[in-house]
Amino acid sequence: MPNGSFSDRLKQSMESAGIKQADLIRLAENQGKKLGKSQVSQYVSGKTIPRKDVLDVLALVLGVDRDWLLGGVGEQETAGRSQGVVAQGQETHVCTNAASDALSAESDLRKRPSDAIPSSSPSSDGIHLQEAVLRTIDQRSTVMGMREFKKSSKLDNVLYDVRGPVADEAARMEGNGQHILKLNIGNPAPFGFRTPFEVVQDMRQQLPECEGYSDSRGLFSARKAIMQYAQIKHIPNVGMDDIYTGNGVSELINLSMQALLDSGDEVLIPSPDYPLWTACVTLSGGTPVHYICDEEAEWYPDIADIESKVTPRTKAIVIINPNNPTGAVYPREVLQEIVEVARRHQLIIFSDEIYDRLCMDGVEHVSIAELAPDLPCVTFSGLSKSHMIAGYRIGWMIFSGEKKCIEGFMLGVNMLSNMRLCSNVPAQSIVQTALGGHQSVKDYVVPGGRVYEQRNFVYEALCNMEGVSVVKPKAAFYIFPKLDVKKFGITDDEQFALDLLHQKKILITRGGGFNWHKPDHFRIVYLPRIEVLSQAMEELGDFLEHYHR
């Protein structure tokens, strides 16, 4: 084979072995390594190079030398000696072709004596084709007789790019010793945000009482504190049995979608969204229908677009307020319009409000449930962001408003809640402490506070970059800038993210990862300290100054 890039060698190896991308995924899975379709597509197109563990598996299933495949050692002759070509100078993957043929008739080969297997002339190194074929069979024999276990087809349309292919490439680079600045995930602890001491102290003291299961809904003390918090937020008609604690809001989103949806049921979800909502609707057999949030109107939901997408199959509408990834906070008037749509079409309202205590600039957060006492509402919140304890995994959901019409749905929620026994009891034990007394998060979101100042710094830096426009976020940890795709020649936002990663060692999340329909946005997490953000913005500005696909 002529010298070339890793992707050239990979494609030649696959062609020689008669293996397609789907076959490669299946064979790798047989070896215990799960590869995604987009992941393999990136390898074949040359967008990324696999990590060492993935490279080892690819070399094994293709029957080639890993160093040759990577292009680091030996070129054609070394690969030939390692794999047993027929003669020096012939195609490197002769043995792979033979191995591919042999796989389809392995049982026949195994039954025949070795002297009955046709032998080619030895290469200059004395390795016979027969030996290469048998060696390849030996490598795969442990799985050839076993039935295949494939990834569920339910996952075919599931997307979670916050930790997706670009993040995988960053992990590979880190494994090679490169330092990556991670601006892709809203995880406060690595950036120096600390849990309030009183919370940690209370958990420590209560650990001996947290060794058993709690009620499946949650500890009485936790749910009581959550109920009182709901009262402060003016959420109507909430009793103790209407509250469920979970291992973060993520678990409860999945649980509620599983309890509600039948195949083909539709759920209205914002675009851009937090991608878990779309994923959970899909996994539950439902159909996510995305309505547009309008960047020209502070990223508020487009009410006309929502109305146009309601069908007889629509069961619910999701709002994310404050919004991730845009940082928008919806005013009372916009929420009232959404309530009117839900009222006209008899929809359940799901409101993700995990960032409700991280509003800035004097903006008031209003729970939509307050405006809909006659409608079924489910409100999600937790402590991961407000108390900087994402790793503790404690969230909750509150059923409010009209509940008679959702009794069956609530029975389903209760059933699934019972099946998982309970959520993390030590984390539940500190809810009462966390929601009472001084809320330290308020110190972060006022002038002089870290989140406030870091938000301002990143916003101003982006505004000064040619070809970039951005709406100033009003809450949370995120900013969602827009790129001039004509100026930069961008048609693939994943490739943009990979280029930034490779050139500047900065990891961001592409806009498509949030179910945004154009390749013109990306999300930045502004949790690092200003000194780090300053360097990151300088590197980003330099990158964009010279970037064009």
Side-chain angles (χ1 to χ4, degrees):
M1 185 198 305
N3 296 344
S5 66
F6 166 77
S7 64
D8 293 332
R9 294 168 184 269
L10 177 62
K11 286 184 283 190
Q12 182 66 32
S13 302
M14 292 169 62
E15 182 179 350
S16 298
I19 292 176
K20 298 180 179 179
Q21 291 188 32
D23 301 320
L24 191 61
I25 292 170
R26 174 177 55 79
L27 289 169
E29 192 168 11
N30 288 342
Q31 294 292 343
K33 176 60 68 175
K34 293 186 177 181
L35 302 177
K37 291 180 182 178
S38 62
Q39 190 176 357
V40 173
S41 178
Q42 286 185 44
Y43 300 155
V44 172
S45 65
K47 291 182 179 179
T48 62
I49 298 173
R51 300 190 303 268
K52 180 181 180 300
D53 57 331
V54 176
L55 185 67
D56 289 341
V57 172
L58 293 177
L60 175 61
V61 300
L62 291 169
V64 298
D65 180 74
R66 68 174 297 280
D67 291 326
W68 174 86
L69 183 62
L70 187 60
V73 177
E75 298 300 334
Q76 180 175 334
E77 290 78 10
T78 300
R81 288 196 295 273
S82 175
Q83 298 303 317
V85 291
V86 173
Q88 189 171 2
Q90 293 183 354
E91 275 294 306
T92 304
H93 290 85
V94 166
C95 69
T96 309
N97 283 321
S100 180
D101 294 338
L103 286 174
S104 63
E106 179 194 3
S107 59
D108 180 59
L109 281 169
R110 282 301 188 194
K111 292 175 183 176
R112 297 164 61 187
S114 60
D115 58 3
I117 302 177
S119 173
S120 70
S121 300
S123 69
S124 58
D125 292 306
I127 299 178
H128 292 74
L129 174 61
Q130 172 188 326
E131 294 170 348
V133 171
L134 290 176
R135 181 168 62 250
T136 306
I137 292 172
D138 284 337
Q139 290 173 333
R140 305 184 189 183
S141 62
T142 58
V143 297
M144 289 306 297
M146 187 71 175
R147 65 190 176 103
E148 294 180 22
F149 295 90
K150 298 182 179 180
K151 180 188 72 175
S152 169
S153 60
K154 295 193 298 290
L155 294 170
D156 287 348
N157 297 311
V158 172
L159 174 77
Y160 194 77
D161 269 15
V162 176
R163 289 182 174 175
V166 181
D168 288 342
E169 172 66 0
R172 185 194 68 80
M173 293 169 66
E174 282 189 316
N176 290 336
Q178 300 182 65
H179 174 72
I180 306 298
L181 176 57
K182 297 176 181 177
L183 303 181
N184 67 314
I185 223 165
N187 187 18
F191 300 106
F193 288 92
R194 300 266 63 92
T195 306
F197 175 76
E198 186 181 4
V199 170
V200 177
Q201 183 70 9
D202 277 18
M203 178 182 283
R204 182 182 294 121
Q205 291 183 355
Q206 293 182 83
L207 279 176
E209 284 73 52
C210 296
E211 294 172 352
Y213 297 130
S214 72
D215 181 283
S216 63
R217 288 182 174 88
L219 292 172
F220 177 88
S221 62
R223 287 185 290 136
K224 187 70 172 180
I226 294 164
M227 186 178 75
Q228 291 169 340
Y229 182 72
Q231 291 169 353
I232 293 172
K233 299 288 290 185
H234 307 293
I235 298 177
N237 192 23
V238 177
M240 291 287 288
D241 289 344
D242 300 322
I243 297 167
Y244 290 80
T245 61
N247 297 303
V249 165
S250 300
E251 180 193 36
L252 296 171
I253 292 172
N254 187 38
L255 188 151
S256 60
M257 294 299 101
Q258 292 284 351
L260 176 67
L261 298 177
D262 290 317
S263 180
D265 287 344
E266 296 176 359
V267 179
L268 295 166
I269 301 174
S271 174
D273 72 341
Y274 179 58
L276 186 74
W277 279 102
T278 297
C280 287
V281 169
T282 302
L283 281 170
S284 301
T287 301
V289 177
H290 292 100
Y291 63 85
I292 296 299
C293 294
D294 186 359
E295 186 171 16
E296 300 300 317
E298 299 287 326
W299 285 115
Y300 297 158
D302 184 326
I303 304 301
D305 191 54
I306 294 174
E307 187 78 57
S308 72
K309 290 175 177 174
V310 177
T311 76
R313 299 302 304 267
T314 308
K315 270 193 173 178
I317 182 169
V318 173
I319 71 164
I320 303 171
N321 178 41
N323 186 268
N324 174 12
T326 67
V329 181
Y330 304 154
R332 187 177 293 268
E333 301 76 31
V334 170
L335 295 173
Q336 190 65 62
E337 289 186 87
I338 295 172
V339 168
E340 291 302 324
V341 174
R343 186 173 286 129
R344 276 195 298 275
H345 299 284
Q346 299 185 353
L347 306 179
I348 301 175
I349 298 173
F350 291 97
S351 186
D352 184 344
E353 301 181 1
I354 190 68
Y355 298 99
D356 67 340
R357 282 149 285 174
L358 285 156
C359 295
M360 292 173 273
D361 304 324
V363 172
E364 175 196 19
H365 177 267
V366 177
S367 286
I368 194 169
E370 174 190 347
L371 309 178
D374 58 326
L375 296 176
C377 294
V378 188
T379 303
F380 299 83
S381 194
L383 303 179
S384 294
K385 312 300 182 177
S386 62
H387 288 71
M388 312 300 173
I389 51 175
Y392 283 26
R393 310 310 299 135
I394 177 63
W396 57 80
M397 63 179 174
I398 303 169
F399 288 85
S400 67
E402 172 53 50
K403 295 192 284 284
K404 189 170 182 58
C405 63
I406 57 168
E407 286 179 350
F409 168 41
M410 293 182 70
L411 281 174
V413 167
N414 202 55
M415 178 187 296
L416 293 174
S417 180
N418 287 338
M419 287 167 61
R420 53 105 206 219
L421 298 177
C422 68
S423 66
N424 178 350
V425 179
Q428 290 184 54
S429 74
I430 51 90
V431 171
Q432 187 174 38
T433 298
L435 289 180
H438 175 66
Q439 298 296 296
S440 58
V441 67
K442 292 181 178 179
D443 300 333
Y444 291 126
V445 295
V446 294
R450 271 193 64 183
V451 174
Y452 180 93
E453 298 298 338
Q454 289 162 195
R455 186 269 316 250
N456 285 355
F457 179 85
V458 171
Y459 171 72
E460 291 167 7
L462 290 169
C463 286
N464 290 325
M465 294 181 192
E466 188 176 350
V468 178
S469 59
V470 63
V471 176
K472 190 174 187 178
K474 301 296 192 299
F477 308 139
Y478 316 108
I479 194 165
F480 200 56
K482 180 179 182 179
L483 297 164
D484 183 338
V485 292
K486 290 184 179 179
K487 172 180 171 58
F488 299 118
I490 298 172
T491 58
D492 182 344
D493 57 357
E494 184 173 285
Q495 186 60 56
F496 168 79
L498 284 167
D499 291 341
L500 178 61
L501 175 64
H502 290 148
Q503 294 185 37
K504 294 298 184 179
K505 312 299 185 291
I506 297 173
L507 176 61
I508 51 88
T509 306
R510 67 187 184 98
F514 302 97
N515 293 293
W516 183 246
H517 57 293
K518 296 179 181 178
D520 58 354
H521 282 77
F522 64 100
R523 189 187 75 169
I524 292 175
V525 175
Y526 50 80
L527 282 170
R529 293 188 181 276
I530 284 182
E531 312 86 77
V532 178
L533 290 172
S534 177
Q535 180 184 356
M537 292 300 101
E538 183 177 340
E539 294 285 359
L540 176 61
D542 180 70
F543 173 79
L544 291 175
E545 187 175 341
H546 303 95
Y547 185 74
H548 192 278
R549 287 297 299 177

